[in-house]
Amino acid sequence: MRTIAAVTAALGAVTLLAGCSTPDTAAPDSGTGELTVFAAASLKTTFTELGARFEKDHPGTTVTFNFAGSSDLVAQLTQGAPADVFASADTGNMTKAVDAGIVDGAPVDFASNTLTIVTPPGNPARITTFADLAKPGIQVVVCAPQVPCGSAAEKVEKATGITLAPVSEESAVTDVLGKVTSGQADAGLVYVTDAAGAGAKVTSVPFPESADAVNTYPIAALADAGNGAAAAQFVDLVTSTAGQEVLSSAGFTVP
């Protein structure tokens, strides 16, 4: 009886020690908690929808977005702003993030976008071509050159040999759209997705030269992500069939 009792006590001690010991490898991150996504302003509608879907599919996760011009987002990130995912409206600003060492792994291209002209409803200035934007008296608004939509506008200018004289250069494509919808400009250069999202608030004027400046959108998890598991899962959602359907319905095309 004493032998059995001793063995039982020993086994109990081993079990207790095993229960208190620390495993060699940590349990995988479930991805729950806070997820912060820095995304180009032109992604606001689609990413807000995808964020809601992500929260539904991952109970316990809250997705927070920072939408702005891609160049502004890179500046914030390189200065230490905390975030888990970065989605840029062009490869140039993503390259800046990669070169700064703040990206985890290789970025993935997930969408592309092109420019279109938008005017107030009814197109009162009668703008029908890209060249019309350079006519005297036409108040046109564009994105600043460092912003992807501004860089695309410059590419069109070079391809056509037409130089614009904008009345203002905005830090995000949504700001350009705002100037047009508020009647502060005769026309603006925005992405086709922004024009589609504005609906009846603008008249869209497509122009063939926009094909000379197609922007590709890359996305990546960040090296210092506080929620690496959720970051990877969000990237997977954006690049999945479901994510691509949301983007396609908004006017984005396959990169």
Side-chain angles (χ1 to χ4, degrees):
M1 294 294 293
R2 290 179 180 176
T3 301
I4 294 175
V7 170
T8 302
L11 288 173
V14 170
T15 302
L16 179 61
L17 288 172
C20 296
S21 63
T22 302
D24 292 336
T25 57
D29 187 349
S30 65
T32 57
E34 191 81 19
L35 175 68
T36 302
V37 179
F38 277 37
S42 52
L43 293 168
K44 185 173 183 178
T45 299
T46 52
F47 268 37
T48 298
E49 179 178 344
L50 290 174
R53 181 176 300 192
F54 190 85
E55 290 179 342
K56 181 180 179 180
D57 294 341
H58 299 80
T61 301
T62 300
V63 183
T64 301
F65 290 104
N66 178 16
F67 294 108
S70 298
S71 57
D72 287 343
L73 295 176
V74 171
Q76 294 173 33
L77 290 170
T78 55
Q79 290 169 12
D84 302 297
V85 176
F86 173 45
S88 175
D90 68 346
T91 56
N93 281 291
M94 180 61 79
T95 297
K96 292 178 183 178
V98 172
D99 292 344
I102 61 175
V103 170
D104 181 23
V108 180
D109 295 339
F110 67 93
S112 61
N113 216 344
T114 54
L115 295 176
T116 190
I117 300 168
V118 288
T119 73
N123 191 4
R126 299 292 182 265
I127 293 168
T128 60
T129 66
F130 183 78
D132 286 344
L133 298 178
K135 288 182 176 180
I138 296 296
Q139 294 187 316
V140 61
V141 180
V142 300
C143 289
Q146 68 270 21
V147 184
C149 56
S151 175
E154 285 193 330
K155 291 178 182 177
V156 175
E157 288 182 86
K158 291 179 181 179
T160 60
I162 297 168
T163 301
L164 303 181
V167 293
S168 71
E169 296 181 339
E170 305 299 324
S171 60
V173 67
T174 48
D175 294 333
V176 174
L177 188 65
K179 287 289 180 97
V180 176
T181 57
S182 64
Q184 298 179 62
D186 297 316
L189 285 173
V190 302
Y191 295 120
V192 294
T193 53
D194 295 287
K201 293 180 181 179
V202 299
T203 292
S204 182
V205 183
F207 59 100
E209 297 91 344
S210 63
D212 294 314
V214 178
N215 276 16
T216 298
Y217 287 54
I219 188 171
L222 297 174
D224 292 333
N227 196 341
Q233 291 164 358
F234 187 80
V235 172
D236 287 343
L237 172 61
V238 171
T239 57
S240 70
T241 300
Q244 291 297 296
E245 288 176 350
V246 171
L247 291 159
S248 177
S249 65
F252 288 95
T253 54
V254 177

